[in-house]
Short mmCIF file of all heavy atoms in Angstrom, two decimals:
data_model
loop_
_atom_site.label_atom_id
_atom_site.label_comp_id
_atom_site.label_asym_id
_atom_site.label_seq_id
_atom_site.Cartn_x
_atom_site.Cartn_y
_atom_site.Cartn_z
N ILE A 187 -170.16 48.20 -34.70
CA ILE A 187 -171.26 48.42 -33.76
C ILE A 187 -170.75 48.33 -32.32
O ILE A 187 -171.17 49.12 -31.45
CB ILE A 187 -172.41 47.47 -34.06
CG1 ILE A 187 -172.96 47.82 -35.46
CG2 ILE A 187 -173.49 47.53 -33.02
CD1 ILE A 187 -173.77 46.76 -36.14
N ALA A 188 -169.85 47.38 -32.09
CA ALA A 188 -169.21 47.34 -30.77
C ALA A 188 -168.47 48.66 -30.48
O ALA A 188 -168.54 49.19 -29.34
CB ALA A 188 -168.21 46.15 -30.71
N ALA A 189 -167.80 49.20 -31.47
CA ALA A 189 -167.06 50.44 -31.26
C ALA A 189 -168.03 51.61 -30.98
O ALA A 189 -167.76 52.48 -30.11
CB ALA A 189 -166.23 50.80 -32.53
N ALA A 190 -169.19 51.58 -31.62
CA ALA A 190 -170.19 52.61 -31.35
C ALA A 190 -170.70 52.53 -29.92
O ALA A 190 -170.90 53.57 -29.26
CB ALA A 190 -171.34 52.49 -32.34
N ILE A 191 -170.93 51.30 -29.45
CA ILE A 191 -171.39 51.13 -28.07
C ILE A 191 -170.33 51.64 -27.08
O ILE A 191 -170.65 52.31 -26.08
CB ILE A 191 -171.75 49.64 -27.79
CG1 ILE A 191 -173.00 49.26 -28.61
CG2 ILE A 191 -171.95 49.38 -26.32
CD1 ILE A 191 -173.32 47.76 -28.61
N MET A 192 -169.07 51.32 -27.36
CA MET A 192 -168.01 51.81 -26.45
C MET A 192 -167.92 53.33 -26.47
O MET A 192 -167.70 53.98 -25.46
CB MET A 192 -166.67 51.20 -26.89
CG MET A 192 -166.61 49.70 -26.60
SD MET A 192 -164.96 49.04 -26.93
CE MET A 192 -164.50 48.56 -25.28
N ALA A 193 -168.11 53.91 -27.66
CA ALA A 193 -168.07 55.38 -27.78
C ALA A 193 -169.22 56.00 -26.99
O ALA A 193 -169.04 56.99 -26.28
CB ALA A 193 -168.15 55.79 -29.22
N ALA A 194 -170.40 55.35 -27.07
CA ALA A 194 -171.57 55.84 -26.35
C ALA A 194 -171.30 55.80 -24.84
O ALA A 194 -171.68 56.72 -24.10
CB ALA A 194 -172.80 55.05 -26.70
N GLN A 195 -170.60 54.75 -24.39
CA GLN A 195 -170.27 54.65 -22.97
C GLN A 195 -169.29 55.75 -22.55
O GLN A 195 -169.49 56.42 -21.54
CB GLN A 195 -169.68 53.27 -22.68
CG GLN A 195 -169.50 53.07 -21.20
CD GLN A 195 -168.77 51.75 -20.91
OE1 GLN A 195 -167.69 51.51 -21.47
NE2 GLN A 195 -169.35 50.95 -20.07
N GLN A 196 -168.28 55.94 -23.41
CA GLN A 196 -167.28 57.00 -23.05
C GLN A 196 -167.93 58.38 -23.01
O GLN A 196 -167.57 59.20 -22.20
CB GLN A 196 -166.15 56.96 -24.08
CG GLN A 196 -165.12 55.91 -23.78
CD GLN A 196 -164.32 55.51 -25.02
OE1 GLN A 196 -164.34 56.18 -26.03
NE2 GLN A 196 -163.61 54.38 -24.91
N GLU A 197 -168.87 58.59 -23.93
CA GLU A 197 -169.52 59.91 -23.99
C GLU A 197 -170.68 60.02 -23.00
O GLU A 197 -171.35 61.06 -22.94
CB GLU A 197 -170.07 60.15 -25.41
CG GLU A 197 -168.98 60.27 -26.45
CD GLU A 197 -169.55 60.46 -27.86
OE1 GLU A 197 -170.59 61.16 -28.00
OE2 GLU A 197 -168.97 59.92 -28.81
N LYS A 198 -170.95 58.91 -22.26
CA LYS A 198 -172.01 58.90 -21.26
C LYS A 198 -173.38 59.24 -21.91
O LYS A 198 -174.24 59.91 -21.33
CB LYS A 198 -171.74 59.86 -20.11
CG LYS A 198 -170.47 59.50 -19.32
CD LYS A 198 -170.38 60.31 -18.07
CE LYS A 198 -169.29 59.89 -17.11
NZ LYS A 198 -168.02 59.54 -17.62
N LEU A 199 -173.58 58.76 -23.16
CA LEU A 199 -174.87 58.97 -23.78
C LEU A 199 -175.92 58.06 -23.12
O LEU A 199 -175.64 56.90 -22.81
CB LEU A 199 -174.80 58.58 -25.27
CG LEU A 199 -174.07 59.55 -26.22
CD1 LEU A 199 -174.10 59.00 -27.64
CD2 LEU A 199 -174.72 60.93 -26.17
N THR A 200 -177.06 58.62 -22.86
CA THR A 200 -178.11 57.83 -22.20
C THR A 200 -179.31 57.58 -23.14
O THR A 200 -180.31 57.02 -22.72
CB THR A 200 -178.62 58.55 -20.94
OG1 THR A 200 -179.09 59.87 -21.33
CG2 THR A 200 -177.55 58.67 -19.88
N ASN A 201 -179.17 58.01 -24.36
CA ASN A 201 -180.30 57.88 -25.34
C ASN A 201 -179.89 57.07 -26.57
O ASN A 201 -180.52 57.20 -27.60
CB ASN A 201 -180.86 59.22 -25.75
CG ASN A 201 -179.84 60.04 -26.54
OD1 ASN A 201 -178.63 59.92 -26.35
ND2 ASN A 201 -180.32 60.91 -27.42
#
Side-chain angles (χ1 to χ4, degrees):
I187 295 161
I191 291 171
M192 291 186 115
Q195 187 186 53
Q196 278 157 14
E197 294 178 36
K198 299 189 169 44
L199 285 179
T200 57
N201 65 330

